[in-house]
Amino acid sequence: MELIVKDLKSKANQIRKDVIEVVYRSKAGHVGGSLSSTDILTTLYYNVLNIDPQNSKDPDRDRFILSKGHIAELLYCILADKGFFDKEKLKTYSQYGSTLIGHPNNKNNGVEINTGSLGHGVPVAVGMALAGKRDNKKYRVFTLMGDGEQAEGSIWEGAMAAANYKLDNLVGIIDRNGLQISGTTEEVMALDKLSEKWASFGWEVVEVDGNDIEQLLKVFNNIPAKEGKPTMVIANTVKGKGISFMENVAKWHHGVLTKEEYNQAIKELEGVKDNE
């Protein structure tokens, strides 16, 4: 376990650096949420998901849906690193004519569906998970949401359906960083007692430090958390995790780095690498 955790931490640091490079080069992207979610997606893609870039349409593959689609640059960096497409393509992110647009686009290998209009992840994941159950498939479906996204009504319709159909092959994850584009989640649309809300809809709820890879591994390796129930992982994270001037700062929900900020961010990430 210690070796796995060390390797995943190193990989997460590399992915954060890739995200910073992509966002700085393109002058676009949602860097704060990408950095808060990096440990979650790194754990999933490098240790949990049953996927193969050489057989990306395998009917028995696990499915991942990025419901908080505005952090597409993070997903693209991981897919490129995993070999779903050439890493050189990352240089075209948000450029005219590129398929690497600002929200997940399934013209890119490894992207299951187009997302970005918030609230779609859970309902679509419910459909995929239900299809898996009815087809007697063993695949699992994971979807990552933002905490601000919890204000979308379609999420709760999907939540109710998932419990009704006993979809224990479905895993929802909430990036609970406490910030959204307009400020804190509690100022915009309070999420007090979020665990209780999901539990009341019939989900088995697990809370975890979403920036602690060892904790994430333990949770994801114990899926389903309870037989016969969908699992909701509330991952408490830090927006802008890993970059001192971005951490817990709302303006980095979406922000363009200056050359000086870019240099400082890379220096901080290189410092983490040197200390491993």
Side-chain angles (χ1 to χ4, degrees):
M1 173 68 84
E2 289 184 6
L3 181 60
I4 293 173
V5 170
K6 182 179 179 181
D7 289 344
L8 288 174
K9 284 182 178 179
S10 178
K11 179 60 68 175
N13 190 63
Q14 174 209 315
I15 295 299
R16 282 189 167 92
K17 184 178 178 182
D18 291 345
V19 166
I20 293 296
E21 295 277 1
V22 167
V23 169
Y24 176 68
R25 184 187 301 116
S26 65
K27 306 303 179 187
H30 291 75
V31 65
S34 287
L35 295 176
S36 66
S37 298
T38 298
D39 298 305
I40 298 167
L41 262 64
T42 299
T43 304
L44 284 175
Y45 271 89
Y46 295 90
N47 193 267
V48 177
L49 294 175
N50 175 29
I51 54 172
D52 180 0
Q54 304 306 315
N55 189 17
S56 61
K57 300 300 182 183
D58 181 355
D60 295 317
R61 73 190 182 281
D62 287 337
R63 274 77 166 164
F64 173 76
I65 299 172
L66 183 60
S67 191
K68 52 175 296 184
H70 49 282
I71 64 165
E73 62 268 18
L74 170 61
L75 179 60
Y76 293 150
C77 285
I78 288 177
L79 292 177
D81 188 69
K82 291 284 292 184
F84 282 91
F85 52 83
D86 194 319
K87 287 192 78 169
E88 282 295 304
K89 190 175 181 180
L90 292 174
K91 294 178 180 179
T92 73
Y93 174 71
S94 282
Q95 290 185 10
Y96 179 76
S98 174
T99 60
L100 297 183
I101 56 178
H103 290 87
N105 175 10
N106 64 4
K107 290 183 179 180
N108 300 291
N109 195 29
V111 177
E112 293 287 347
I113 65 166
N114 295 357
T115 55
S117 183
L118 297 178
H120 287 182
V122 168
V124 173
V126 166
M128 289 181 172
L130 182 57
K133 287 287 188 181
R134 292 184 171 177
D135 291 341
N136 294 313
K137 295 290 187 180
K138 298 298 184 183
Y139 69 74
R140 303 163 301 171
V141 184
F142 297 76
T143 184
L144 176 66
M145 298 171 281
D147 47 6
E149 187 179 357
Q150 303 305 294
E152 299 289 344
S154 53
I155 284 180
W156 301 101
E157 293 178 53
M160 186 163 53
N164 180 70
Y165 292 112
K166 298 178 171 54
L167 300 181
D168 55 7
N169 58 340
L170 173 61
V171 182
I173 309 159
I174 299 172
D175 179 15
R176 186 72 170 106
N177 60 40
L179 294 170
Q180 57 191 99
I181 193 168
S182 303
T184 71
T185 55
E186 305 316 293
E187 292 170 333
V188 178
M189 185 65 69
L191 296 175
D192 187 39
K193 299 181 180 178
L194 186 58
S195 294
E196 293 180 23
K197 286 184 172 70
W198 278 96
S200 73
F201 273 76
W203 290 56
E204 189 67 16
V205 181
V206 181
E207 287 211 50
V208 65
D209 181 342
N211 295 129
D212 187 317
I213 286 175
E214 185 171 1
Q215 287 189 33
L216 289 166
L217 278 172
K218 289 177 180 177
V219 169
F220 290 137
N221 287 332
N222 191 38
I223 297 297
K226 188 172 184 178
E227 295 292 334
K229 298 178 72 172
T231 301
M232 177 52 64
V233 179
I234 298 179
N236 297 299
T237 65
V238 174
K239 195 139 191 168
K241 178 68 175 179
I243 308 299
S244 61
F245 59 87
M246 291 185 185
E247 289 191 353
N248 289 317
V249 178
K251 80 165 190 174
W252 288 106
H253 177 87
H254 179 282
V256 176
L257 289 89
T258 64
K259 183 177 181 180
E260 291 73 21
E261 289 169 336
Y262 164 78
N263 288 336
Q264 182 180 341
I266 294 298
K267 182 179 180 180
E268 290 185 13
L269 292 171
E270 289 291 348
V272 171
K273 183 177 180 181
D274 291 342
N275 291 327
E276 287 179 347

